[in-house]
Amino acid sequence: MTYREYNFDGLIGPTHNYAGLSFGNLASASNKGAASNPREAALQGLAKMRGNLELGLGQGFLPPQDRPSLKTLRALGFSGTDREIIEKAAKTEPRLLANCCAASSMWTANAATVAPSPDTADGAVHFTTANLAANFHRAIEAETTARALAHIFDHEAHFVHHPPLPGGVHFGDEGAANHGRLAESHGAPGAHLFVYGEDGARFPARQKRLASEAVARNHRLDPARTVFVKQSRAALDAGAFHNDVVGVANGTVLFLHEQSFEDREAACAAIRAAAPFVEIVEAPASKVTLEDAVKSYLFNSQLVTLPDADDGAGGEMALILPTESEENPRVKAFLEETVARNNPINRLVFRNVRESMRNGGGPACLRLRVVLSAAEAGAANPRFILDGAKISALEDWVRAHYRDRVTPDDLSDPDFMEESFAAMQALTDLLGMGAFYDFQR
Ligand code: SUG
């Protein structure tokens, strides 16, 4: 059977802004209060999707969420008309309002964890929506994310959907950002690497071991091919709030920073036991410091197998990197050295996703990987699987509805809310989604 990897990128929403909401995420903190450009952000995201399509990769997307989240504000005691709710929240609880306006669902690596069908005991594709319990603005994504995944992957025989884990921060789960799959080809049984954290001296860990274990159970993975590894406190405290800031896995390759794991040798031994074919490509701290890694996001790249004649196995690999990693001379030198060496990574592609990067989201944060057989891909909702014409239609939609400048003050403006909902209404019309969002129900 032929299997293919699809990247489902988050379509960036019209309220994209810099509110400094994520403690431990250095980019989010340092850009707090800056003006954002949602139009440019969404077009950068779509250009990355188009670029991946042009490389021959499978590309889908997840829709943005409806923001401001009036449902959340109502549940927290704000009442009146929609406009009155925004006015009251802006006056008395502006931080809460900012949390309810975040366009953070764009980072779909945090939407869910996915297990492809060759890896699961029942042969279905399993999804567990992430509860994102660590941050309020992200925790309120989970309900709509689950709805979106169920809408797109709507076929009982192929797709199993697990709700967000219960228990709040006790089972804090940040989705695929702390998970990687290693396999000899997309369709071969894969090994699953779950990376969890423990609080550092500076910053709290978001992903809990208990959560990773629960997701592995939900997905009916083979325990012999499932590894739980602790992220290093040094990486967390350097600003790697998700493990995908310091490492990425694809196919037979694990590309990571030397200081990613708390106990490097034990972690690598466990990974080799679960995936004997693995090739570990490591950046030594002497060449790339953790600080370089966090600033440049070289590991927050999409490591992809370029298509070849068969099912994507054995093809060469490319790194889809943020332009920031081209601008750091040490990082650039290490990347060039990596492609020159004898390993499957032999192409570098730099993409500008600066608007997202300024909130701590690189190319890998913006995508959820879903490996599908041809039959499974055929069972997914085709409106969310892209070709060039569909990308052009989404670009037109962005140009018609998005502002090119948003400051924190704009979040208090009820007109901005109405514009955002008009955009979402037009999107549901375009995609035939019906009354999908809370504001439409
Ligand atoms: O959860 N930033 C996101 C970035 C997520 C990146 N995802 C991965 N590494 N996979 C976060 O910290 C900032 C929003 C603000 O400050 O306005 C934010 O939510």
Side-chain angles (χ1 to χ4, degrees):
M1 221 188 302
T2 305
Y3 282 80
R4 195 169 179 217
E5 177 179 278
Y6 290 81
N7 284 281
F8 283 80
D9 279 43
L11 178 56
I12 296 174
T15 62
H16 159 65
N17 73 94
Y18 300 120
L21 300 177
S22 285
F23 182 56
N25 171 341
L26 302 178
S28 153
S30 67
N31 290 305
K32 179 178 177 180
S36 65
N37 183 337
R39 183 187 302 169
E40 193 54 33
L43 294 174
Q44 286 172 354
L46 285 161
K48 174 170 94 71
M49 298 184 223
R50 193 186 286 282
N52 282 0
L53 265 183
E54 286 167 359
L55 290 172
L57 303 169
Q59 184 67 52
F61 75 101
L62 300 189
Q65 300 205 354
D66 51 327
R67 295 290 181 272
S69 175
L70 290 177
K71 184 179 180 177
T72 305
L73 289 167
R74 281 204 188 90
L76 296 174
F78 292 94
S79 58
T81 64
D82 295 354
R83 292 182 70 92
E84 281 165 1
I85 287 175
I86 298 301
E87 278 157 6
K88 287 182 197 169
K91 211 163 158 192
T92 62
E93 295 292 344
R95 283 300 285 167
L96 186 54
L97 178 60
N99 274 270
C100 292
C101 288
S104 47
S105 65
M106 72 176 79
W107 299 296
T108 51
N110 306 118
T113 310
V114 184
S117 56
D119 306 350
T120 62
D122 59 357
V125 185
H126 285 248
F127 298 83
T128 298
T129 298
N131 62 27
L132 294 171
N135 290 283
F136 182 69
H137 70 291
R138 303 231 53 189
I140 60 174
E141 293 169 32
E143 188 186 331
T144 306
T145 299
R147 198 185 298 158
L149 291 171
H151 179 85
I152 298 171
F153 300 100
D154 178 16
H155 192 294
E156 263 184 41
H158 289 303
F159 307 122
V160 177
H161 294 278
H162 303 277
L165 299 179
V169 289
H170 301 286
F171 283 82
D173 176 22
E174 301 274 320
N178 299 295
H179 169 260
R181 177 177 189 254
L182 293 159
E184 287 179 282
S185 72
H186 290 319
H192 289 250
L193 170 62
F194 290 89
V195 185
Y196 62 92
E198 277 173 24
D199 291 353
R202 247 180 119 193
F203 297 134
R206 298 193 195 182
Q207 180 74 32
K208 299 293 153 67
R209 180 177 179 129
L210 289 173
S212 299
E213 289 169 345
V215 171
R217 273 192 299 273
N218 270 344
H219 293 184
R220 305 188 61 185
L221 300 177
D222 176 357
R225 282 201 297 263
T226 305
V227 187
F228 302 96
V229 169
K230 188 161 134 190
Q231 189 190 20
S232 80
R233 287 208 176 86
L236 184 69
D237 281 339
F241 56 94
H242 289 137
N243 187 66
D244 65 4
V245 175
V246 285
V248 57
N250 175 59
T252 56
V253 175
L254 178 60
F255 177 58
L256 82 176
H257 192 272
E258 184 187 15
Q259 289 165 287
S260 298
F261 302 135
E262 189 67 36
D263 183 343
R264 170 173 170 253
E265 277 178 27
C268 290
I271 293 164
R272 284 186 208 285
F277 51 81
V278 69
E279 200 164 331
I280 299 181
V281 180
E282 228 178 30
S286 57
K287 290 191 177 154
V288 175
T289 62
L290 278 174
E291 195 191 348
D292 284 332
V294 170
K295 277 207 177 122
S296 70
Y297 262 42
L298 81 153
F299 297 107
N300 199 262
S301 48
Q302 292 180 249
L303 179 58
V304 293
T305 306
L306 296 170
D308 67 6
D310 61 21
D311 70 349
E316 54 172 23
M317 290 190 197
L319 279 169
I320 320 285
L321 298 135
T323 42
E324 284 76 357
S325 60
E326 196 177 15
E327 290 159 5
N328 176 321
R330 288 176 301 281
V331 168
K332 177 94 188 292
F334 169 72
L335 288 168
E336 281 171 352
E337 194 188 303
T338 301
V339 287
R341 274 203 312 252
N342 183 23
N343 65 52
I345 308 174
N346 43 27
R347 190 157 165 199
L348 305 174
V349 179
F350 295 97
R351 300 278 184 226
N352 175 7
V353 288
R354 233 180 257 287
E355 284 286 323
S356 165
M357 281 287 286
R358 295 179 78 206
N359 254 337
C365 301
L366 286 163
R367 62 93 176 92
L368 180 67
R369 287 183 288 187
V370 186
V371 169
L372 297 171
S373 69
E376 290 156 359
N381 186 325
R383 295 186 196 247
F384 296 86
I385 296 191
L386 291 168
D387 56 23
K390 288 180 196 166
I391 293 185
S392 299
L394 291 172
E395 286 167 343
D396 289 345
W397 168 77
V398 168
R399 289 197 186 95
H401 291 280
Y402 281 45
R403 291 190 183 184
D404 62 6
R405 185 180 153 85
V406 169
T407 64
D409 286 346
D410 294 320
L411 308 181
S412 330
D413 178 2
D415 290 343
F416 185 45
M417 168 194 70
E418 284 177 359
E419 272 172 51
S420 170
F421 289 171
M424 304 311 280
Q425 181 63 51
L427 184 70
T428 50
D429 292 346
L430 185 69
L431 298 169
M433 294 170 79
F436 178 84
Y437 291 110
D438 291 319
F439 82 89
Q440 298 167 313
R441 291 178 170 208

